[in-house]
Amino acid sequence: MGDKRLTCLECGQLNRVPEDRLTAGARCGKCGQGLVPADAIDVDPAILEKAKKNDDLPLVVDFWAPWCGPCKMMGPEYAKAAGILVGKARLVKVDTQKHQSTGGRYAIRGIPTMVAFERGQERKRQSGAMRAGQIVDWIRG
Ligand SMILES: [Zn+2]
């Protein structure tokens, strides 16, 4: 019931989205970006911090890097999982080569590593490449 708070992954604006519009192309009131993407998009660490703290939907982050073979293999699978979980969780990615201090901040020791956040708290993490079905099960579990 009621509205869900969602941070725009593009501009960082905090939006309120009626629950029944979560899968119906809700857009950011400030920049117009879709708030519930059916894809896993790369986010800026500053946006990650805001979304992690304020969002009412679970936020899952894939810490990856362009040089990492297993990360590249998992990329399309992770994107597929994002499509399956539209409206249930948002899946984002952080490039740890570009944002090295963010990887350090979250104590990422190997990649790919997925970390699931709910209302500002880390709920769990998992290292190693997985297939879409496994990712969905892990997030739901
Ligand atoms: Zn926006």
Side-chain angles (χ1 to χ4, degrees), residues 63-137:
F63 291 92
W64 72 289
W67 50 262
C68 156
C71 297
K72 277 191 192 148
M73 274 168 46
M74 180 162 139
E77 299 292 316
Y78 189 69
K80 214 185 286 175
I84 294 167
L85 292 169
V86 164
K88 305 276 184 240
R90 292 202 297 179
L91 279 64
V92 300
K93 311 193 321 175
V94 168
D95 180 342
T96 57
Q97 183 178 309
K98 204 157 129 193
H99 306 290
Q100 290 185 8
S101 64
T102 306
R105 186 190 160 115
Y106 287 98
I108 303 302
R109 294 194 177 84
I111 51 173
T113 291
M114 287 189 301
V115 183
F117 297 99
E118 252 179 271
R119 296 202 166 82
Q121 303 294 321
E122 177 176 336
R123 195 160 63 91
K124 54 184 177 177
R125 64 171 62 197
Q126 168 81 41
S127 294
M130 295 200 286
R131 302 191 65 86
Q134 296 172 303
I135 296 168
V136 169
D137 286 347

Side-chain angles (χ1 to χ4, degrees), residues 16-101:
R16 288 182 177 277
V17 182
E19 206 156 356
D20 58 5
R21 286 196 55 219
L22 277 179
T23 53
R27 297 196 164 273
C28 172
K30 189 178 173 193
C31 75
Q33 183 79 11
L35 288 171
V36 195
D39 198 359
I41 60 173
D42 271 283
V43 294
D44 188 81
I47 306 263
L48 165 64
E49 292 306 315
K50 280 191 174 178
K52 187 189 90 176
K53 198 165 64 186
N54 298 320
D55 284 11
D56 286 326
L57 279 189
L59 182 74
V60 182
V61 185
D62 173 26
F63 291 92
W64 72 289
W67 50 262
C68 156
C71 297
K72 277 191 192 148
M73 274 168 46
M74 180 162 139
E77 299 292 316
Y78 189 69
K80 214 185 286 175
I84 294 167
L85 292 169
V86 164
K88 305 276 184 240
R90 292 202 297 179
L91 279 64
V92 300
K93 311 193 321 175
V94 168
D95 180 342
T96 57
Q97 183 178 309
K98 204 157 129 193
H99 306 290
Q100 290 185 8
S101 64

